[in-house]
Amino acid sequence: MAITFPRLLQKHAAERPGEPALREKEYGIWQTWSWQRALDEVRWMACGLTALGFTPGQNLAIVGNNRPHLYLMFLVAQSLRGVPVPMYQDAVAAEMAFVLRDAEVHFALAEDQEQVDKLLELRDAEGEEAVPGLTHIIYDDPRGLRNYRQPGLISVDELMALGRQHEQAHPQLFAELVAQGQPDDVAVILYTSGTTGRPKGVCQTHAAFVASAQGGVQTDGLNASDDVLSYLPPAWVGDFLFSMAQWLVAGFTINCPESSDTVSIDMREIGPTYYFAPPRVFEGMLTSVSIRMEDAARFKQRMHAYFMGVARRVGSDILDGKPVGLGDRLLYGIGNLLVYGPLKNAMGLSRIRVAYTAGAAIGPDLFRFFRSIGVNLKQLYGQTETCAYVCIQKNGQVKLESVGQAAPGIELKIADSGEVLVKGVSVLKEYYKRPDATAEVIDENGYFKTGDAGVLDRDGHLRIIDRAKDVGKLAGGAMFAPNYIENKLKFFPQIKEAVCFGHERDRVCAFINIDFEAVGNWAERQGLPYAGYVDLAGKPEVLKMMAECVEKVNADLAGEEGMEATQIARFLVLHKELDPDDDELTRTRKVRRGFIAEKYGVLIDALYAGRAEQFIETAVKFEDGRTGKVAATLKILDARTYPPVRSAA
């Protein structure tokens, strides 16, 4: 049988109709959808959409947080041989308008009043943001929408009621349409983050995502008894893989939190066995742990420091099943009872069998921390164009500095330029309406050009150095990999973001964003008053703290072959947080390096000119749409650097 996602849903409903497929926490209570209920609601919504005029080949936009009906709507569109197009729920109007127009969307599912208002505004707008073709808007949460009477507006409940009526007149419609679906049909269009220009719609087939999901399921033994917390943006390729594709392949239960503010609480309640998060989430967990330890009694601080030392020494080896002495095993067992176990429980990771991170490189120190306390954290590597991953780390073969070996069905190759090339089951079918862009990224032999620079070791493990376009050289000829240095800086809980510069320059300089929560907590314990982010970021005490972090990074770089020349010579702490709304980060929080370099050119000039301070005034966008300006005179500091450290031969 040809496998598509709707057919997998039918299979689970037939084999285990009463088992839990989805859960959602609402008003503090977990609500459960069985596989049969999920199939019934997909069938009713599909019939309802057909009654409204939705036809095969059309695209359907989906925008909102993680909710069962949003995930089911993916299957609704696919059942009708249409294509779901998820959008980021925090996207501004211009971003949403581009996707809606580019994908020629007439039907959209909106989570709640906030998203409905955005879509209605775009439909009624004029000029570049106008989306007049958006004729039908379906909403899930009815709160605040009781008195809305705009044409084409209908609730999910009303849609299902309409579908039940339509099904009575056309009882075979749903089954016939699902039977017509083919593995090579486009299953989803995922728009890229747009780091280098306008986002592009990545068309991925059922076959590609099913094969990718099967690779992960087989490698890590995922099964129907697993629980997953689905909290990442549904528009992100990682969520589609882990909360859709692998859900339908493995048949586990996906759990939707009550809100973004309750994720940590809901996670502790569910205790997921399988977990996925970008590095930023793991960084946040470590920051939270660090803050709590700073507030703990001195005895607990000493105990924590001692047993974390034990964990760093033998924890990863124990996790990988490598030989470890009896004494160290006993010490680690005591540490697990007193420190590691409570830590994992506080983070909601006590039941974790396997955890993944992807989306950006994770710092080796951060990676080592989680694995040392017994969390089987692995790093994936891939892009939207490769169904989220092309490399996977197998149990017992995890190398901190690599992203693993080629996943099942994937072939890796390093081009003469150093760029990573990928061929296999998960490579995109095409960019939507962009044959020119498709031809640019797939070579004559069918290899996808990842845009990343990397090397393969003798065991076939891939090590990503940086984005190929970002890897440069210092004026002296040394390789400059900014992302590698930035990840080292972001390991410190006091640092939220960093941007390094150095290509064709004589030295490396850096911008730093403080973590307002972590540094603010520290300042309060020190009795250090501050009026807000700008004030706190400019405090001499905070600048001294940042200097110490930079010096530690420089000490590490001094001991790494090929990186010793890239130590940070000068740095400054920015007066504002880098923000997607200000176009400084993508919606997946990747640094838009070129844009930042242009926007803050005066600061870069000051760093390299040797100035001690520099005034800057920056335009900012607020959440309510207003604009304003933030001004400050920033101190520029010289960082301590170290002579190269050569390891003994």
Side-chain angles (χ1 to χ4, degrees):
M1 182 185 73
I3 299 176
T4 62
F5 291 122
R7 288 177 186 170
L8 287 172
L9 175 63
Q10 289 178 325
K11 179 175 181 290
H12 288 298
E15 295 176 353
R16 35 203 291 270
E19 296 293 314
L22 306 103
R23 294 192 192 96
E24 177 188 32
K25 193 176 183 184
E26 189 173 21
Y27 303 118
I29 301 171
W30 287 99
Q31 313 289 332
T32 300
W33 275 252
S34 68
W35 286 102
Q36 186 61 56
R37 178 183 172 184
L39 177 60
D40 288 342
E41 293 192 358
V42 166
R43 187 176 71 252
W44 295 333
M45 284 191 282
C47 290
L49 274 183
T50 302
L52 291 176
F54 189 91
T55 57
Q58 284 191 292
N59 299 328
L60 185 148
I62 299 172
V63 58
N65 290 302
N66 314 73
R67 300 188 66 157
H69 283 147
L70 266 72
Y71 286 121
L72 295 181
M73 189 58 77
F74 280 90
L75 289 157
V76 170
Q78 294 162 350
S79 298
L80 299 177
R81 299 196 76 183
V83 184
V85 184
M87 300 187 296
Y88 286 98
Q89 60 269 37
D90 60 348
V92 297
E95 294 170 330
M96 293 181 67
F98 173 80
V99 172
L100 292 167
R101 288 199 309 272
D102 189 67
E104 302 169 299
V105 169
H106 301 295
F107 289 76
L109 172 70
E111 176 199 359
D112 54 16
Q113 183 185 15
E114 178 187 356
Q115 305 300 343
V116 167
D117 286 342
K118 287 188 203 175
L119 293 175
L120 290 173
E121 181 184 344
L122 290 173
R123 189 171 73 177
D124 298 335
E126 298 180 356
E128 291 187 359
E129 292 189 355
V131 190
L134 185 61
T135 55
H136 292 83
I137 301 172
I138 306 140
Y139 60 87
D140 186 26
D141 186 347
R143 287 176 291 187
L145 293 166
R146 184 176 61 182
N147 296 319
Y148 280 47
R149 297 290 185 267
Q150 287 85 346
L153 194 63
I154 183 173
S155 72
V156 165
D157 288 340
E158 291 169 332
L159 181 69
M160 287 194 286
L162 178 64
R164 286 191 287 270
Q165 293 176 1
H166 194 74
E167 187 180 33
Q168 290 178 353
H170 306 84
Q172 299 303 315
L173 174 67
F174 179 78
E176 290 172 354
L177 286 170
V178 171
Q180 292 171 14
Q182 296 298 315
D184 288 337
D185 289 346
V186 176
V188 66
I189 298 176
L190 297 163
Y191 276 79
T192 61
S193 54
T195 53
T196 57
R198 283 288 199 181
K200 297 186 288 288
V202 178
C203 298
Q204 290 286 17
T205 65
H206 293 267
F209 262 113
V210 167
S212 295
Q214 288 172 335
V217 168
Q218 293 164 6
T219 299
D220 287 302
L222 304 177
N223 56 65
S225 63
D226 282 309
D227 273 292
V228 172
L229 188 73
S230 299
Y231 67 100
L232 295 167
W236 186 39
V237 64
D239 190 73
F240 190 86
L241 174 67
F242 295 105
S243 296
M244 279 293 300
Q246 288 194 337
W247 167 55
L248 290 163
V249 168
F252 51 61
T253 305
I254 57 176
N255 301 271
C256 302
E258 188 161 14
S259 72
S260 57
D261 298 327
T262 66
V263 168
S264 59
I265 298 169
D266 299 338
M267 187 166 172
R268 287 195 292 271
E269 288 183 5
I270 290 294
T273 58
Y274 177 42
Y275 182 63
F276 177 84
R280 181 172 295 277
V281 172
F282 288 104
E283 290 165 3
M285 287 182 179
L286 182 58
T287 298
S288 177
V289 168
S290 301
I291 290 172
R292 287 165 60 178
M293 284 315 303
E294 288 173 354
D295 291 333
R298 185 157 297 181
F299 168 75
K300 286 189 176 180
Q301 289 179 344
R302 289 175 180 168
M303 182 177 67
H304 178 269
Y306 175 79
F307 283 110
M308 285 308 304
V310 174
R312 282 191 292 271
R313 190 171 70 251
V314 300
S316 293
D317 289 343
I318 291 174
L319 183 62
D320 290 333
K322 297 178 179 178
V324 173
L326 180 60
D328 281 333
R329 284 188 178 274
L330 286 172
L331 280 174
Y332 188 85
I334 296 169
N336 191 50
L337 184 66
L338 299 176
V339 177
Y340 322 140
L343 273 180
K344 288 188 286 186
N345 187 58
M347 293 185 286
L349 302 176
S350 55
R351 294 178 63 219
I352 289 292
R353 291 196 300 107
V354 61
Y356 285 128
T357 186
I362 188 171
D365 294 328
L366 183 65
F367 201 5
R368 186 180 293 107
F369 168 81
F370 281 97
R371 290 191 61 81
S372 70
I373 65 172
V375 177
N376 188 20
L377 178 61
K378 302 179 181 183
Q379 191 170 195
L380 297 174
Y381 166 71
Q383 294 89 9
T384 306
E385 291 88 345
T386 60
C387 296
Y389 80 105
V390 293
C391 288
I392 194 166
Q393 294 177 320
K394 299 175 183 176
N395 288 331
Q397 300 181 37
V398 176
K399 296 183 180 181
L400 297 179
E401 71 278 5
S402 90
V403 293
Q405 299 163 304
I410 293 295
E411 181 184 343
L412 296 176
K413 186 170 77 171
I414 306 298
D416 293 340
S417 63
E419 185 177 9
V420 180
L421 304 180
V422 175
K423 188 177 184 179
V425 295
S426 63
V427 173
L428 80 162
K429 182 176 184 177
E430 62 188 357
Y431 289 118
Y432 186 65
K433 301 189 301 183
R434 291 290 305 278
D436 57 327
T438 308
E440 285 177 8
V441 297
I442 298 179
D443 69 14
E444 63 276 8
N445 298 313
Y447 283 93
F448 170 70
K449 303 172 186 176
T450 65
D452 291 320
V455 293
L456 287 167
D457 69 14
R458 65 183 66 184
D459 299 319
H461 287 258
L462 177 65
R463 181 184 176 190
I464 299 297
I465 300 170
D466 209 326
R467 291 293 291 172
K469 65 179 179 62
D470 288 337
V471 174
K473 287 188 176 182
L474 297 180
M479 183 185 71
F480 170 61
N483 191 250
Y484 186 80
I485 307 169
E486 291 158 4
N487 283 329
K488 283 183 171 291
L489 286 166
K490 289 190 292 182
F491 172 74
F492 295 96
Q494 303 91 341
I495 296 177
K496 188 171 186 177
E497 195 58 78
V499 188
C500 293
F501 308 93
H503 178 54
E504 296 182 344
R505 305 256 189 185
D506 61 344
R507 52 191 168 168
V508 176
C509 294
F511 293 168
I512 289 174
N513 264 166
I514 63 169
D515 187 296
F516 188 54
E517 181 183 2
V519 177
N521 185 278
W522 171 84
E524 289 165 14
R525 290 196 313 277
Q526 303 300 312
L528 186 65
Y530 61 93
Y533 186 94
V534 178
D535 186 30
L536 182 62
K539 293 286 184 185
E541 297 87 348
V542 173
L543 295 176
K544 182 182 177 184
M545 179 194 297
M546 296 298 107
E548 292 170 353
C549 295
V550 172
E551 287 172 14
K552 290 176 182 176
V553 169
N554 283 345
D556 282 347
L557 293 170
E560 297 184 26
E561 186 175 355
M563 304 301 292
E564 60 270 35
T566 62
Q567 297 178 57
I568 299 165
R570 309 193 80 212
F571 74 94
L572 58 81
V573 177
L574 287 172
H575 56 307
K576 68 175 289 291
E577 290 190 83
L578 298 176
D579 195 317
D581 288 340
D582 295 326
D583 300 323
E584 298 153 341
L585 304 174
T586 68
R587 290 294 163 187
T588 55
R589 303 199 67 85
K590 294 177 182 175
V591 168
R592 298 186 70 197
R593 199 177 305 281
F595 180 85
I596 291 171
E598 182 177 344
K599 181 175 181 177
Y600 296 104
V602 65
L603 296 180
I604 296 174
D605 292 343
L607 282 163
Y608 285 98
R611 297 174 198 151
E613 61 183 33
Q614 178 64 49
F615 174 80
I616 186 168
E617 187 176 68
T618 310
V620 295
K621 298 176 186 174
F622 301 107
E623 291 184 356
D624 60 2
R626 293 180 299 114
T627 59
K629 291 185 177 180
V630 178
T633 298
L634 306 185
K635 300 291 184 183
I636 301 176
L637 286 81
D638 295 315
R640 181 182 178 185
T641 57
Y642 298 84
V645 178
R646 302 298 182 198
S647 57

